[in-house]
Each structure stands twice: as C-alpha cells, then as structure tokens.
C-alpha cells in the first residue's frame, strides 16, 4: 500500500512540475490569431456544452414567441449583439472576424432548440470568450425576449430583420442602458428620415495598414 501511495504522490508531483514548466516557459500561444489545436478545441467545446447544459437544465422556460417579445429582442439584438453575431444582410465586422473563439453567426445557426441554454448563456456569459454576462444589466424578461427573437432570426430575410429592428423600442432592458454598443437605441419608420435627435454623430475614420478607411 505504501508503495502505491508513494507512486501516486510522485506521479502527481511530476504532473504538477510538468504543468508548471509548460506555463512558465510561455510555450502556449495565447494569441487570438492562433487557433487551438484540434484535441484542445474538442475538449474545450465539450466542457462548455456540458457546463451550460448542467446549469440550464432546471431553468423554467416561459411561453415564447409573442410579437412584442420578438420586437423587443430585435431592438436589443441590434444594439448589443449584431457587431459580433451578425444578422441577415449584415456583412462580417472587424470585431466578428478578430475574436477567437469566433462568435457564432446566429442568423445561420440551427442551435436555438434549447431556449434554457440560450437564456443561461446570455445571462451569465462564457469565460475566456467575447460573450459578456448580460444578466448583470438586463432583467430576465428582456433576456427571454432575446431568446424569443433568436428562435426567429434564422428564418428572417434582411428586410424582415430590419423591419423588426425599426419597429422596436431599441436598446431597452430595464434601466442602465448606455450607448457603448454602437447605437443610441433610437429607431424611426423605415424610409423616413431621422429626426434631429436621432441624427448619428459623424464617425471618425481610421486608416488600416492596407490603406483602407474604416469608420467607427
């Protein structure tokens, strides 16, 4: 028995020392432009999916799909999500292409069959990704409206998506909203000119290394 315990202790020590050597050597590339190896990617994906599934299994899903929920979700999606996750008719952005892991293109995804999991992810976020914990700022009812909208998103045309955004109340989720998501949350009827209060500030352009201009 003593031999077995000693072997286990030595094995544990060897693993710990090996891990320390790997960490302090800096051999692991943490750059977002260097993808994980296939085995590590598989492990991380499985870990994330199981972690979300376990935590979401006891969430009670309310009735989803009302027109008001979908409009509310569209407004918040356009304000808070589209820069990373895109939308019908929206081209990839610098942010969506620069993040790793790459944010899923939710208009093309088919993984909206688990609304409890979608709710948990939106509310709590995902560590070591670009997905924030929106539950720190959003009341649950607005998160559920986002979930309801996500269920409809893959079936929307670009025109239908924009019409829903235009008909929504914009960025609103129970208080504390700000404009750091790139929109003021103000919308006007499609085809109608914005009012003076809705006029966006002139974007400031910067020049990329390839000589192209891009406005923010």
């Amino acid at each position: 028995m003593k031999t077995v315990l000693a072997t286990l202790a030595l094995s544990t020590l060897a693993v710990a020392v090996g891990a320390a050597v790997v960490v302090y050597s800096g051999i692991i590339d943490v750059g977002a432009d260097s993808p994980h190896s296939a085995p590590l990617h598989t492990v991380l994906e499985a870990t994330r999916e199981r972690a979300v599934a376990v935590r979401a299994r006891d969430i009670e899903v309310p009735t989803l799909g009302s027109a008001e929920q979908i409009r509310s979700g569209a407004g918040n999606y356009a304000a808070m999500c589209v820069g990373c996750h895109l939308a019908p008719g929206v081209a990839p952005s610098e942010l969506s292409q620069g993040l790793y892991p790459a944010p899923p293109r939710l208009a093309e995804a088919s993984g909206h069959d688990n609304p409890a999991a979608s709710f948990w992810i939106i509310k709590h976020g995902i560590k070591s990704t670009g997905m924030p914990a929106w539950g720190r700022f959003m009341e649950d009812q607005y998160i559920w409206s986002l979930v309801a909208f996500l269920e409809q998103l893959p079936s929307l045309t670009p025109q239908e998506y924009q019409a829903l955004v235009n008909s929504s109340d914009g960025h609103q989720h129970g208080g504390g909203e700000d404009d750091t998501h790139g929109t003021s949350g103000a919308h006007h009827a499609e085809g109608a000119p914005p009012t003076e209060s809705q006029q966006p500030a002139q974007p400031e352009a910067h020049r990329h290394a390839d000589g192209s201009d891009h406005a923010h």
Side-chain angles (χ1 to χ4, degrees):
M1 178 61 71
K2 289 182 179 180
T3 301
V4 172
L5 292 175
T7 301
L8 288 175
L10 288 173
S11 298
T12 301
L13 179 60
V15 169
V17 170
V21 169
V22 170
V23 169
Y24 284 99
S25 70
I27 193 173
I28 297 177
D29 187 351
V30 298
D33 56 355
S34 176
H36 294 308
S37 65
L40 179 57
H41 179 77
T42 299
V43 170
L44 292 175
E45 287 278 295
T47 300
R48 186 196 69 221
E49 290 177 6
R50 286 302 304 150
V52 172
V54 167
R55 287 158 179 79
R57 62 189 175 192
D58 295 326
I59 294 176
E60 294 186 10
V61 179
T63 301
L64 300 174
S66 72
E68 182 53 39
Q69 282 179 325
I70 294 171
R71 281 196 300 271
S72 173
N76 279 327
Y77 185 89
M80 303 164 65
C81 311
V82 72
C84 291
H85 296 290
L86 310 181
V90 176
S93 65
E94 291 179 330
L95 185 58
S96 70
Q97 296 177 91
L99 284 172
Y100 185 84
R105 297 187 180 190
L106 297 179
E108 303 173 4
S110 58
H112 306 305
D113 56 347
N114 188 341
S118 296
F119 175 88
W120 192 94
I121 291 171
I122 295 170
K123 182 167 184 172
H124 299 285
I126 303 290
K127 289 185 177 75
S128 300
T129 71
M131 182 62 198
W134 291 123
R136 297 180 61 187
F137 314 101
M138 299 182 74
E139 296 177 4
D140 283 2
Q141 71 179 79
Y142 295 100
I143 298 178
W144 282 120
S145 291
L146 265 175
V147 174
F149 173 73
L150 290 179
E151 292 184 336
Q152 301 297 318
L153 183 59
S155 66
L156 299 178
T157 65
Q159 293 76 20
E160 290 169 336
Y161 167 75
Q162 193 59 53
L164 279 172
V165 173
N166 289 342
S167 68
S168 76
D169 292 325
H171 185 202
Q172 44 92 39
H173 48 68
E177 298 87 351
D178 60 35
D179 290 339
T180 58
H181 310 300
T183 178
S184 65
H187 299 282
H188 57 280
E190 189 170 10
T195 64
E196 184 176 350
S197 64
Q198 293 173 329
Q199 288 283 359
Q202 287 297 319
E204 180 181 354
H206 72 262
R207 186 169 294 276
H208 292 287
D210 61 2
S212 61
D213 287 327
H214 184 82
H216 288 299

